[in-house]
Amino acid sequence: MTELLSIILAAGEGTRMRSTTPKVLHAVGGLSVIGHVLRTSKTMQGQIAVVVGPNHEAVENTVAAIAPTATIARQVERLGTGHAVRQAKAAYEAAAGNVIVLYADTPLVTAATMGEIVRRLDGGADIVVVGFRPNDPTGYGRLLTEGDRVRAIREHRDASEAERLIDLCNSGIMGFRADALRSVIDRIGNSNAKGEYYLTDAVELAQGDGKRVDYVVADADEVIGVDDRTKLSIAEATFQDLRRADFMKAGVTLKDPKSVWFSYDTEIASDVTIEPNVVFGPGVVIEQGAVIHAFSHIEGAHIGRKASVGPFARLRPEADLGEDVKVGNFVEVKKAKIGRGAKISHLSYIGDATIGAEVNIGAGVITVNYDGYNKYQTIIGDNAFIGSNSSLVAPVTIGDGALVASGSVITEDVEADALALGRARQAVKPGRAKEIFAKAAAKKQSKKG
Ligand code: UD1
């Protein structure tokens, strides 16, 4: 395969987002917009260079976290897309094969489109432009085509009335043979309506040199640029619809697909059923045959085979549910390993815990894991039974097969097969209730009189 360099332009200001967060760090499907572009570029297995603006340290950190081998170039003055690409000179000077220029604010571009660009370049094109047909072409560069070739790209502001009638627009994503890019990039000028160095002028310059410029047409949904909150929401909706369709194709039942929200990295095996109104944060893996009941919120969790979660369950990071585990309504699980067949059916908080196989956790049981400063572990052995409304004050260990009486506050370890009671002994005083009520009634009567 020909070597590939992806240059990702991320130096834009993003003022229309009206945000203190740089535009490319807003999230779609739980991952930053630039994160999507980086991940897709990574699947192409080439080099990556990212052009960032000044004072965009947070963007640089995100790039380093997602694509540690990517190089960063800084564009101090924002003088246009052509100028932005020039900042990555060190990368494209060294490039031997193909170069694809991508926008960091266009998160849904696919590896299939990038692959098609490479195919065209390897097939003899010097430049490949990715076009699309938006509902409203206003503001976009127009592709001036002749048969299968692109003669020029005309920016909206510089276009004639006739050119503005063209509906085939420039998505901004362009592929170059590395030598073709090097031969035109320094010749791009800035005598245009915006006084910017337009990367799009590369097309006309290359044409003048007798080079071949192809175009491919992408779906408008795929090349949407996220530059305001409305487009962010449209990108999110498109992303979610794609994920839903993928999962259903892979054998996952979604009872009401539109109401289930996935993250970019959600992994679900076949024959999992997901009821309506379920939200997945990042880092979730679900094994075959599990059922997620309605209104559950799940992030950073592993859910074993045939486990049952919800309705109204909350699984937080490092919740690890074994096979056949049941986590029922109004149960919160965090950083806890739950053994095979264990049941936590109602109204519990289980955090910083290891729970053995076939354990039964009664309604309202709480692991008391925090003293205001530190977190402590609760360990429960196999087949133990924790009575309803008990507090397990960590650090504490309950042995295999132990029985904790309902309503206990357990502060000391319980050995295997022991019964532990940690509550006041019950006292019953015959007739006493009647006396108390009578006294109270008399008091009320005397106030009235
Ligand atoms: C650009 C294209 C236009 C296309 C449109 C698609 C040019 C001259 N025009 O228009 O044909 O239809 O995208 O959305 O290329 N950027 C930098 N540094 C700069 C300028 C831009 O990094 O100095 C980055 C931005 O962060 C953004 C991308 O390049 O990711 C596009 O910039 P933007 O200003 O949105 O492009 P337009 O001028 O609207």
Side-chain angles (χ1 to χ4, degrees), residues 9 11-12 75 78-81 84 103 140-141 155 170 194 198 200:
L9 305 187
Q75 187 190 26
R78 199 179 176 284
L79 300 178
T81 47
Y103 291 170
Y140 293 109
E155 289 307 299
N170 174 29
K194 264 173 128 182
Y198 291 164
T200 44

Side-chain angles (χ1 to χ4, degrees), residues 12-28 33 105 225-233 235:
E13 287 296 338
T15 44
R16 269 172 288 173
M17 290 299 278
R18 296 191 183 279
S19 176
T20 53
T21 303
K23 115 174 129 168
V24 297
L25 296 188
H26 285 264
V28 168
V33 165
D105 67 1
V226 174
D227 55 12
D228 62 23
R229 306 278 178 161
T230 302
K231 297 237 184 75
L232 181 66
S233 76

Side-chain angles (χ1 to χ4, degrees), residues 85-409:
V85 169
R86 272 185 211 158
Q87 311 312 303
K89 187 167 183 149
Y92 66 69
E93 279 293 310
N98 299 320
V99 179
I100 298 183
V101 176
L102 301 150
Y103 291 170
D105 67 1
T106 305
L108 303 183
V109 62
T110 60
T113 294
M114 290 182 75
E116 179 61 16
I117 295 171
V118 169
R119 208 179 62 76
R120 295 292 188 104
L121 293 170
D122 288 348
D126 294 291
I127 299 180
V128 179
V129 179
V130 178
F132 73 118
R133 292 191 167 84
N135 287 336
D136 177 8
T138 310
Y140 293 109
R142 307 300 205 283
L143 266 55
L144 312 187
T145 55
E146 255 168 32
D148 294 341
R149 306 278 182 261
V150 190
R151 188 162 48 77
I153 300 176
R154 191 77 71 235
E155 289 307 299
H156 184 88
R157 288 201 203 191
D158 303 298
S160 66
E161 282 302 312
E163 287 167 340
R164 285 184 183 180
L165 293 176
I166 296 169
D167 68 345
L168 185 59
C169 294
N170 174 29
S171 70
I173 298 154
M174 289 170 79
F176 297 85
R177 299 269 329 142
D179 47 12
L181 176 65
R182 284 190 290 264
S183 73
V184 292
I185 190 75
D186 289 330
R187 286 192 276 146
I188 292 174
N190 66 347
S191 45
N192 50 53
K194 264 173 128 182
E196 286 190 353
Y197 297 90
Y198 291 164
L199 180 63
T200 44
D201 284 354
V203 171
E204 218 160 351
L205 289 168
Q207 272 281 332
D209 295 344
K211 295 208 153 69
R212 179 179 137 190
V213 184
D214 283 13
Y215 68 95
V216 296
V217 181
D219 238 31
D221 287 343
E222 180 188 341
V223 294
I224 185 169
V226 174
D227 55 12
D228 62 23
R229 306 278 178 161
T230 302
K231 297 237 184 75
L232 181 66
S233 76
I234 295 170
E236 180 75 47
T238 304
F239 173 82
Q240 293 297 340
D241 279 341
L242 290 169
R243 300 287 347 242
R244 291 165 188 144
D246 285 347
F247 282 128
M248 288 190 281
K249 229 179 280 167
V252 176
T253 295
L254 303 180
K255 299 230 178 218
D256 177 19
K258 280 275 182 207
S259 72
V260 180
W261 291 73
F262 296 103
S263 269
Y264 70 100
D265 61 351
T266 311
E267 286 179 36
I268 307 179
S270 63
D271 287 327
V272 166
T273 296
I274 301 175
E275 290 184 357
N277 297 299
V278 173
V279 175
F280 294 100
V284 175
V285 176
I286 308 179
E287 309 286 355
Q288 203 166 35
V291 179
I292 313 298
H293 295 282
F295 296 98
S296 293
H297 190 281
I298 300 170
E299 63 183 315
H302 171 256
I303 297 169
R305 273 169 57 87
K306 298 196 173 164
S308 166
V309 174
F312 298 99
R314 176 157 187 222
L315 302 184
R316 291 172 51 207
E318 294 182 57
D320 183 357
L321 277 46
E323 197 171 328
D324 284 323
V325 161
K326 180 178 179 207
V327 167
N329 43 266
F330 306 107
V331 171
E332 174 178 341
V333 180
K334 182 218 79 168
K335 221 174 185 178
K337 196 170 167 62
I338 317 293
R340 180 183 38 77
K343 291 187 175 61
I344 314 166
S345 298
H346 342 259
L347 299 156
S348 276
Y349 170 68
I350 303 295
D352 300 299
T354 302
I355 292 177
E358 306 294 340
V359 165
N360 190 86
I361 305 275
V365 169
I366 304 289
T367 54
V368 185
N369 61 331
Y370 186 49
D371 63 6
Y373 296 91
N374 304 294
K375 300 278 170 68
Y376 301 97
Q377 290 289 319
T378 299
I379 296 166
I380 302 176
D382 294 347
N383 299 304
F385 186 101
I386 314 297
S388 293
N389 210 30
S390 292
S391 298
L392 307 176
V393 183
V396 71
T397 299
I398 315 286
D400 290 354
L403 170 58
V404 170
S406 171
S408 292
V409 176

